Amino acid sequence: MEITITKATKYKYLRSISDETGYHFVYDSAIIDNDQEITIEPGIYTLQELILLIAGNKDIHIKVIGNHIALNINPGSANEISLEPLKEDVPAYSIITGRTFDLYTKEMIPSSTVLINNTSIGTVSNQDGIFRLAIPDSLKENTIRISHVGYENREFTLEEVPGTHIDLSLEPKVIPLQEVVIRVINPIQTIQKMLDHRPSNYSSVPANFTVYYREGIEHKKKNVDLTESVLQVYKTGFANENLRDQVKLIKIRRIIDHQERDTIITKVKAGIFSTLMLDVVKHVPDYLEASETNVFDYTYTDMSVLDNRLVYVISFEQKPYIKEPLFKGQLYIDTENFALLEARIEINPEYVEKATSYYIEKSSRNFRLTLRKAAYTLSYRPSTDGVYYLNHVRGELEFRVKRRKRWFSTNLKVWFEMVNCKVDIENVQPIPRQERLSTRSILSDTRYPYDLDFWGGMNVIIPEDELKDFILKNLDYKRE
């Protein structure tokens, strides 16, 4: 192929090859630095010659798999990383990590769903766009799918992953203007159709979830407390609003900055109970009881895409004469089956301070907390049985903290997050009463044996960079 660019980043050179050949490159960022600028003399090169020039490493191994070109360190080269022989007790799974980012802006994409096709096993990327997926050996031939609202899906197999890490760019999906115009809809009727279609879209019988749950506290923009856990959730059907979900604790660890542990004595309402109550398909909030006489205004604002399906975006906000702290946000509803796929909501910022008392569990007399933000994201995804289950929930609460007899205030952020890593629909039984964890318990106060080999083959949300630094700094402190 012919090269006319004289100087560019390695990424731009590889992108030009992709544009001309239709092949997508898969490689570890440790092998090729996307941002490094290089110079290549204009001319005609074979594809192999060009890739080696761009990589700047003659030991690069090039393998074409479908419409992907995988780049790795050539086996037998001096740069090859030697591996320890496999031990007999090594669990039968492979672990890969990856990073999702926008194809054009290069910005990281948080909360992308990562799913092993034809299974209910998956995870989500963290706020830095990084994910960790444990793949059972029995499923290592399956395709892995990455999806996010507003982007084209990306799929790959383990064979395409160089080493144990893969960087994946997602391409934004542009909805043609005529499609938006043709589909002008009544938002109230669309929400009602979503509710009417619940029996066909969501499970009316219990299922068992294996979930990863974490919650943390940031004070003065610094991580001071992190609790991570794996839970079993006995999830009752959407029609049984009064039948509570049940939770069993499988693994837990808490990591504290002991220099800061006494800084905040306040306990904030968040936790597992809030996460399960954010299943709005089961616990229908007032903003989904849409009608002309409701206290909310509804607007059809956009169309998007998720899992290659068109999605209505409906916005809602309290009517101007309502001065109470109510929710506002966006609902993402499938245009064909009317399933609610995602919701992004927050307490109206104009009145958020009035909601402070709703969120404080315990408060020390030495501190005064004022709510500044309460925002939530929740999503659903279909499983192998064709119905939708709660997939991911994240909540963020931000407070202004004023200490008694101090002039200045500080910022406190409390967040919690849950991802549904596996759904079981066979032989589903309630959790024995003696094994249940109260969903109203403050999880960080729960005592449980410390497990040095914590995650193993569990699917989790991988820590963000700042959180990772906090964990490494404080991991030596064991649970008391």
Side-chain angles (χ1 to χ4, degrees), residues 12 21 31 36 58 90 103 116 181 244 258 273 281 292 297 327 354 371 375 382 385 394 398 403 425 453 470 472 474:
K12 188 170 182 179
T21 64
I31 296 174
Q36 182 183 352
K58 62 182 178 61
V90 171
L103 175 63
I116 303 175
V181 173
R244 297 299 183 189
H258 282 240
F273 178 77
V281 167
E292 298 292 349
D297 288 325
F327 281 111
K354 292 183 178 182
L371 185 66
D385 58 355
R394 183 177 173 89
E398 294 183 7
R403 192 162 189 165
I425 57 177
D453 184 21
F470 167 69
L472 292 175
N474 296 284

Side-chain angles (χ1 to χ4, degrees), residues 98-222:
R99 182 179 61 167
T100 57
F101 57 94
D102 187 289
L103 175 63
Y104 302 113
T105 67
K106 305 301 180 294
E107 293 181 358
M108 298 302 107
I109 303 176
S111 303
S112 299
T113 295
V114 185
L115 187 67
I116 303 175
N117 273 345
N118 303 316
T119 77
S120 64
I121 299 173
T123 186
V124 298
S125 62
N126 67 15
Q127 297 303 293
D128 292 337
I130 300 172
F131 65 86
R132 173 191 188 272
L133 183 65
I135 306 167
D137 280 357
S138 60
L139 300 175
K140 64 183 180 182
E141 302 298 328
N142 287 41
T143 302
I144 299 160
R145 182 172 79 250
I146 314 285
S147 61
H148 192 282
V149 168
Y151 289 89
E152 298 272 12
N153 287 357
R154 278 291 300 272
E155 296 190 351
F156 65 94
T157 64
L158 268 183
E159 191 178 16
E160 298 169 32
V161 179
T164 58
H165 181 86
I166 185 170
D167 285 344
L168 293 161
S169 60
L170 301 187
E171 184 171 4
K173 174 69 174 180
V174 179
I175 308 298
L177 180 61
Q178 61 267 28
E179 183 77 40
V180 178
V181 173
I182 291 171
R183 290 178 179 258
V184 170
I185 61 164
N186 183 314
I188 293 178
Q189 291 178 0
T190 301
I191 294 174
Q192 187 58 52
K193 286 182 180 179
M194 183 274 292
L195 294 174
D196 293 342
H197 283 71
R198 284 188 300 166
S200 58
N201 287 328
Y202 304 95
S203 178
S204 59
V205 297
N208 279 334
F209 294 175
T210 301
V211 309
Y212 166 79
Y213 173 86
R214 63 178 184 170
E215 61 187 30
I217 298 175
E218 297 175 20
H219 186 222
K220 302 177 185 176
K221 298 184 178 181
K222 177 183 177 183

Side-chain angles (χ1 to χ4, degrees), residues 328-461:
K328 61 177 292 188
Q330 297 82 40
L331 308 171
Y332 295 77
I333 299 175
D334 191 292
T335 62
E336 295 182 27
N337 62 20
F338 294 97
L340 177 65
L341 305 180
E342 188 167 310
R344 302 175 185 177
I345 60 176
E346 65 175 332
I347 296 288
N348 193 324
E350 189 173 350
Y351 307 107
V352 68
E353 290 189 7
K354 292 183 178 182
T356 299
S357 61
Y358 302 164
Y359 289 87
I360 302 300
E361 183 72 27
K362 303 175 188 175
S363 183
S364 166
R365 63 180 183 179
N366 293 322
F367 294 94
R368 180 184 175 187
L369 271 70
T370 304
L371 185 66
R372 304 299 302 274
K373 175 185 176 181
Y376 308 90
T377 301
L378 56 118
S379 66
Y380 298 83
R381 63 172 167 83
S383 189
T384 52
D385 58 355
V387 299
Y388 290 79
Y389 294 95
L390 189 64
N391 175 49
H392 179 230
V393 176
R394 183 177 173 89
E396 296 183 0
L397 311 176
E398 294 183 7
F399 297 86
R400 181 177 65 243
V401 180
K402 180 71 168 59
R403 192 162 189 165
R404 213 176 93 178
K405 297 181 180 180
R406 297 285 179 88
W407 283 100
F408 301 104
S409 61
T410 58
N411 295 318
L412 173 72
K413 178 179 178 181
V414 178
W415 55 268
F416 59 92
E417 188 167 25
M418 183 191 81
V419 58
N420 183 0
C421 301
K422 187 180 180 183
V423 177
D424 290 308
I425 57 177
E426 302 291 339
N427 302 316
V428 177
Q429 297 294 329
I431 297 171
R433 185 174 299 274
Q434 67 273 17
E435 297 180 12
R436 294 179 196 171
L437 174 72
S438 171
T439 59
R440 294 182 180 272
S441 297
I442 296 173
L443 188 63
S444 60
D445 288 346
T446 303
R447 292 189 173 276
Y448 203 78
Y450 183 85
D451 185 354
L452 185 61
D453 184 21
F454 190 65
W455 297 127
M458 300 283 188
N459 276 312
V460 302
I461 302 173

Side-chain angles (χ1 to χ4, degrees), residues 52-76:
L52 293 177
L53 281 173
I54 295 170
N57 185 345
K58 62 182 178 61
D59 291 323
I60 288 289
H61 178 59
I62 305 168
K63 186 174 184 180
V64 178
I65 307 168
N67 65 340
H68 292 80
I69 298 178
L71 307 181
N72 206 342
I73 297 297
N74 196 19

